[in-house]
Amino acid sequence: MMIADYKDRGITLLKKGQKGLIHAIFSRFGLILLLLVVQVLILFSIFQWFEEFIPHIFGGTMLFAAIMVIYLLNSKINPTAKITWLIVIMLLPVFGVFLFLYTQSDIGHRVLKKRINQIITDTKENIKQSNDVIEHLKKENLNVAALAHYINKRGCHPVFQNTEITYFPLGENKFDEMLRQLEMAKHFIFMEYFIVSEGLMWGKILEILAKKAVEGVDVRIMYDGTCEFALLPRDYPKRLKALGIQCKVFAPVSPFVSTCYNYGGINLSDEYINEKVKFGHWKDTAVMLKGDAVKSFTLMFLQMWGIGEREEQYSLFLSYPSLPVKKAAGYVIPYGDCPLNNDKLGERVYMDILNRSVSYVHIMTPYLILDGEMETAIKFAAERGVEVVLLLPGIPDKAIPYALAKTHYVSLLKSGVKIYEYTPGFVHAKVFVSDSTEAVIGTINLDYRSLYHHFECATYLYHVDCIEEIEADFQDTLAKCRRITMQTVQKEKWTVKLTGYLMKVIAPLL
């Protein structure tokens, strides 16, 4: 049943109290706990029923674990993850091995991985890199041109000129402009978000989408399976279809079939525009692209849309002319990061910026759960004399990630990294800005989930006009923060410290 309330909430497709509930948690962490309980029960039974065989069982278990340890030490797994798996297997000698084989086997991912690789192969020539653009970039900065070459090699992510960038320092600013832009759409509207949650924000957007669909605009919306699991009913795509809107759920949750969930980044929900207060003031950021580079995001959307069913209209949607822009300075690279390959593109772009920085690298991120390589890159930049500033939430949205972030503070502070926490509330922005010349705005957090387990996207910016605005916003936000020192770390609650130390053991699996 559709309930319309144009005055206040836009369109809503849910009756009051009809939102879905989380019925269970199917994750690696949950599976570890389950296997731990099962193993304890089985071991207790063995002690009761097979007492005379305990030495043989114990010896066989230890041999099995030793073989797995040797295998892990010689594997290509991330060194930090190796430590985690070593601990898991030592605690769960038998079931830990089964868990490892389960997660490494890519059950539920093999078909998806094959399909994605095929789509990228079939469509990578749809947007060709302009030789003139890359040659101009080489003349300006060979190091940035090398980064552009790497990004494009890992997908179809060319570097563009002639693209106007508008920076939004808050979700409210983005929302206002989004409504205006949606109203002006003539050919198609593609929206891809991690979470869609009914309220003022989605209601007003949905009202425009429904109107545009009636006008003949091709309207498509895609959200993550975790959203369907927690917030929306399974038939929500059918409800949107009744409005003329095509809708897909990416990776619907199937218990114990897929080895990781929660793909995605920024959300359509009222807390992102401070319409609803959950964790104090919500600090988020966004960029709007106008011009040639928009084609990359169009292609990325169609690639994701085509995973479930073949999409044949790539050339049609990419053939629409770009909006005319004023002469725009600089270079722009929209790119996506896929967890189903070994190229940690998001992390490597961040590390490249850190390694090339000369004056400063200023970072906003909601989560700080670093592997050894990223932590070393951040510390090394600071030790070279670069001003590295991390701006993190003052009010956390989740207790465990907040505690895990604290475990990095002492090491980073000793290397000269400056750490601040946003006193008014929660920082959800993912921003890298460096040396007044380059920046990254996107969905990529500094944590394992984002860098290793999620589909993410971002925009790399070099010498574009809004770099100064991004840095000015960072400084304005910094003025509202408290600085973290060794003294403040020492005063942290012991419960937070203990949670961080314990959860760090399994952080790569979360």
Side-chain angles (χ1 to χ4, degrees):
M1 177 179 179
M2 185 183 77
I3 301 172
D5 184 359
Y6 297 93
K7 182 186 250 182
D8 186 27
R9 310 286 284 186
I11 294 177
T12 178
L13 299 182
L14 297 180
K15 294 179 181 179
K16 188 175 181 181
Q18 192 180 358
K19 289 187 178 181
L21 299 175
I22 297 180
H23 303 295
I25 298 175
F26 299 100
S27 65
R28 296 180 180 187
F29 179 56
L31 192 55
I32 290 172
L33 293 179
L34 175 63
L35 289 175
L36 181 61
V37 171
V38 171
Q39 179 157 310
V40 169
L41 292 175
I42 291 178
L43 287 175
F44 179 77
S45 300
I46 289 173
F47 286 135
Q48 293 291 316
W49 299 334
F50 303 101
E51 187 175 352
E52 67 271 24
F53 297 109
I54 286 177
H56 302 86
I57 295 171
F58 182 77
T61 300
M62 290 300 100
L63 177 62
F64 193 40
I67 293 172
M68 281 305 303
V69 168
I70 294 171
Y71 172 79
L72 277 170
L73 291 174
N74 288 278
S75 69
K76 296 180 180 180
I77 298 173
N78 176 272
T80 307
K82 281 185 183 181
I83 296 173
T84 295
W85 280 116
L86 287 171
I87 293 172
V88 169
I89 288 173
M90 294 307 294
L91 290 174
L92 305 169
V94 177
F95 291 97
V97 174
F98 293 151
L99 176 65
F100 174 78
L101 295 176
Y102 163 74
T103 57
Q104 298 301 308
S105 66
D106 272 344
I107 296 173
H109 278 174
R110 291 179 181 176
V111 174
L112 180 62
K113 184 176 182 179
K114 182 178 180 180
R115 178 69 180 138
I116 288 175
N117 289 335
Q118 187 62 50
I119 289 173
I120 292 174
T121 299
D122 293 344
T123 61
K124 66 181 181 181
E125 297 299 322
N126 278 270
I127 307 176
K128 294 184 178 180
Q129 175 63 68
S130 165
N131 289 329
D132 289 343
V133 172
I134 199 68
E135 289 302 320
H136 288 155
L137 181 56
K138 285 180 180 179
K139 292 177 182 178
E140 289 194 35
N141 192 313
L142 283 174
N143 290 324
V144 174
L147 176 62
H149 174 78
Y150 169 76
I151 295 174
N152 194 31
K153 189 177 179 181
R154 292 300 176 266
C156 184
H157 309 306
V159 56
F160 295 90
Q161 291 179 300
N162 194 35
T163 300
E164 181 182 322
I165 307 295
T166 304
Y167 176 71
F168 302 109
L170 288 172
E172 299 92 300
N173 306 132
K174 170 202 168 181
F175 178 51
D176 291 342
E177 184 61 31
M178 175 185 283
L179 296 179
R180 284 191 287 270
Q181 294 297 328
L182 290 174
E183 288 280 10
M184 293 188 289
K186 296 179 180 178
H187 302 293
F188 63 90
I189 296 173
F190 296 160
M191 301 183 72
E192 179 184 339
Y193 283 88
F194 176 36
I195 284 177
V196 174
S197 179
E198 288 218 333
L200 174 69
M201 186 181 193
W202 174 236
K204 288 192 173 183
I205 291 172
L206 183 55
E207 182 180 345
I208 298 174
L209 297 183
K211 182 174 67 174
K212 286 295 174 180
V214 171
E215 294 175 4
V217 175
D218 188 335
V219 180
R220 306 186 191 186
I221 177 76
M222 182 161 49
Y223 57 81
D224 188 78
T226 303
C227 176
E228 177 188 56
F229 195 50
L231 298 172
L232 299 173
R234 292 187 70 87
D235 68 341
Y236 202 71
K238 292 182 180 179
R239 304 184 190 197
L240 291 178
K241 186 177 180 181
L243 298 176
I245 299 169
Q246 298 182 65
C247 177
K248 284 188 178 182
V249 179
F250 180 78
V253 174
S254 300
F256 304 118
V257 174
S258 296
T259 51
C260 51
Y261 298 118
N262 298 344
Y263 298 154
I266 198 169
N267 308 325
L268 290 180
S269 186
D270 282 356
E271 59 263 35
Y272 290 80
I273 58 172
N274 288 291
E275 177 68 21
K276 179 170 63 177
V277 177
K278 295 178 67 174
F279 310 103
H281 183 264
W282 193 284
K283 167 63 180 176
D284 220 327
T285 58
V287 288
M288 179 176 68
L289 281 62
K290 283 186 179 180
D292 295 343
V294 175
K295 293 182 185 297
S296 276
F297 280 121
T298 303
L299 178 60
M300 279 188 264
F301 178 91
L302 291 171
Q303 288 172 336
M304 296 292 283
W305 187 268
I307 289 173
E309 62 185 63
R310 186 169 295 278
E311 169 63 57
E312 303 288 356
Q313 302 186 73
Y314 292 97
S315 57
L316 170 64
F317 291 110
L318 295 173
S319 67
Y320 289 117
S322 302
L323 290 175
V325 299
K326 300 174 183 177
K327 187 174 181 180
Y331 301 84
V332 179
I333 311 176
Y335 62 93
D337 191 7
C338 172
L340 300 181
N341 56 39
N342 295 321
D343 299 316
K344 307 307 175 188
L345 180 57
E347 183 177 46
R348 290 178 179 175
V349 171
Y350 284 160
M351 291 173 66
D352 189 71
I353 293 173
L354 286 162
N355 291 334
R356 288 187 291 102
S357 58
V358 176
S359 178
Y360 70 83
V361 179
H362 294 161
I363 303 166
M364 280 192 271
T365 182
Y367 309 114
L368 190 74
I369 309 174
L370 307 173
D371 63 10
E373 293 175 278
M374 179 58 78
E375 184 168 356
T376 298
I378 293 173
K379 291 167 60 177
F380 180 56
E383 290 166 1
R384 290 191 292 109
V386 176
E387 181 186 67
V388 180
V389 181
L390 287 170
L391 203 160
L392 301 161
I395 301 176
D397 68 332
K398 301 177 183 69
I400 290 176
Y402 181 71
L404 282 168
K406 302 284 186 179
T407 65
H408 297 286
Y409 280 11
V410 171
S411 176
L412 294 171
L413 288 171
K414 285 183 177 179
S415 291
V417 178
K418 298 177 182 178
I419 304 174
Y420 291 82
E421 292 180 347
Y422 183 59
T423 307
F426 184 69
V427 172
H428 190 256
K430 306 99 164 71
V431 176
F432 261 61
V433 57
S434 177
D435 294 346
S436 301
T437 58
E438 59 185 330
V440 171
I441 310 290
T443 70
I444 307 173
N445 305 313
L446 283 179
D447 67 353
Y448 285 102
R449 292 169 69 86
S450 202
L451 298 174
Y452 286 84
H453 303 315
H454 284 190
F455 285 89
E456 303 282 10
C457 65
T459 305
Y460 172 82
L461 309 170
Y462 179 69
H463 268 312
V464 300
D465 292 333
C466 70
I467 295 288
E468 291 183 3
E469 294 178 46
I470 298 171
E471 173 59 18
D473 177 51
F474 185 92
Q475 294 299 331
D476 289 344
T477 309
L478 193 67
K480 303 169 186 174
C481 296
R482 60 174 175 264
R483 184 167 180 179
I484 303 301
T485 64
M486 288 295 188
Q487 288 71 34
T488 58
V489 172
Q490 291 172 358
K491 294 177 182 178
E492 189 62 66
K493 294 179 180 179
W494 70 269
T495 52
V496 174
K497 292 181 180 179
L498 181 61
T499 300
Y501 292 146
L502 293 176
M503 297 308 297
K504 197 167 187 176
V505 175
I506 58 172
L509 303 183
L510 296 178

